[in-house]
Amino acid sequence: MPDIASLILLVHVSLGTVAIAAGAGALLATKGGPLHRRSGALFALTMGIASLLGAILGLLNPDQFYITFHAGLLGLTLIAGSWLTVRLPGRHRGIAMSVIGLINLANLVGLVFAGAEATGMPDGRWLGFAAEDYFFLAGMTGFAAIGDLTLVFRKTLSDRHRIARHLWRMCLGFFIAAGSAFTGPGAEVFPDMIERSGLLALPELLIMLALLFWLVRTWWKGAPQAAQPA
């Protein structure tokens, strides 16, 4: 691997680790409190940069990290779209949001193509990853693309819708980071006994449960103050 790719990988992993810790802090902290806001800001910053570096890494070394290119693009658009939704509540139909939606749409096409290529291979893998890996990521990307592009047709965006969008995009980004660390490439650093036990999938499950909880709470009891712009 070229030296530049090794450096990018090191920074990517380091920032991803910080993002996971910050994301956990944001979920566990009192919503609307200073700790939640600081943890959320740190998560957005580190996750955004780590995602961008992951996408670059996938292009530099596709034989080993190709799917990281697609995952990085998705993570970056999730964080950027979430930030824009909260910080610019009256500009959800702006050019930036449209560009994010188009990027996700193009990313979806690439993932479906990669999954189809993997399906046609004798071992069901293309560039080191199985077809189901590509299709699973394609499902998340498609969900994000639909959510982005439908904003173009909405004249207004209620506080509940805006905060719900912020929540699911941040949590989905957190889910991607945790998946990369615990059940993806990062799983190799854990002992075989722990890797085979299924415990490494627990963080992803907890993140999805937390997402469902906060979405239900947002729609039934109103938007939590945690996601209001500082």
Side-chain angles (χ1 to χ4, degrees):
M1 181 186 298
D3 291 341
I4 183 63
S6 299
L7 179 60
I8 290 176
L9 177 60
L10 177 62
V11 178
H12 168 74
V13 172
S14 300
L15 289 176
T17 303
V18 175
I20 291 173
L27 281 180
L28 296 174
T30 301
K31 301 302 177 282
L35 179 58
H36 178 271
R37 291 178 181 273
R38 287 195 295 266
S39 297
L42 180 60
F43 169 76
L45 177 63
T46 53
M47 181 65 188
I49 298 175
S51 297
L52 176 60
L53 293 177
I56 295 173
L57 184 65
L59 292 178
L60 291 178
N61 192 1
D63 292 337
Q64 187 175 0
F65 298 110
Y66 176 70
I67 201 171
T68 307
F69 166 72
H70 293 286
L73 278 184
L74 176 58
L76 185 60
T77 57
L78 288 173
I79 298 302
S82 178
W83 185 86
L84 286 172
T85 301
V86 173
R87 302 295 297 188
L88 304 174
R91 298 176 61 183
H92 62 279
R93 302 176 68 185
I95 295 177
M97 201 68 75
S98 299
V99 170
I100 289 174
L102 291 175
I103 290 174
N104 277 327
L105 187 61
N107 197 18
L108 171 62
V109 173
L111 283 165
V112 171
F113 172 81
E117 287 291 308
T119 301
M121 295 295 176
D123 60 351
R125 305 177 72 86
W126 189 63
L127 291 177
F129 294 92
E132 53 265 30
D133 296 330
Y134 291 113
F135 288 136
F136 179 72
L137 192 58
M140 291 191 290
T141 304
F143 185 74
I146 292 172
D148 293 331
L149 296 176
T150 52
L151 291 184
V152 177
F153 302 99
R154 297 183 66 93
K155 294 183 178 180
T156 60
L157 198 64
S158 68
D159 283 343
R160 289 190 179 189
H161 191 165
R162 182 169 60 88
I163 301 307
R165 175 178 165 82
H166 167 78
L167 286 169
W168 76 255
R169 292 181 75 92
M170 283 294 190
C171 285
L172 188 57
F174 190 19
F175 178 86
I176 293 173
S180 178
F182 296 110
T183 59
E188 297 178 359
V189 305
F190 294 94
D192 291 340
M193 181 179 66
I194 295 180
E195 188 174 356
R196 292 194 302 267
S197 68
L199 291 176
L200 296 180
L202 187 59
E204 295 169 81
L205 174 61
L206 293 176
I207 292 169
M208 287 295 101
L209 291 176
L211 170 59
L212 291 175
F213 170 79
W214 283 111
L215 283 179
V216 171
R217 187 181 186 280
T218 297
W219 283 109
W220 284 92
K221 294 186 177 181
Q225 294 298 315
Q228 300 294 342

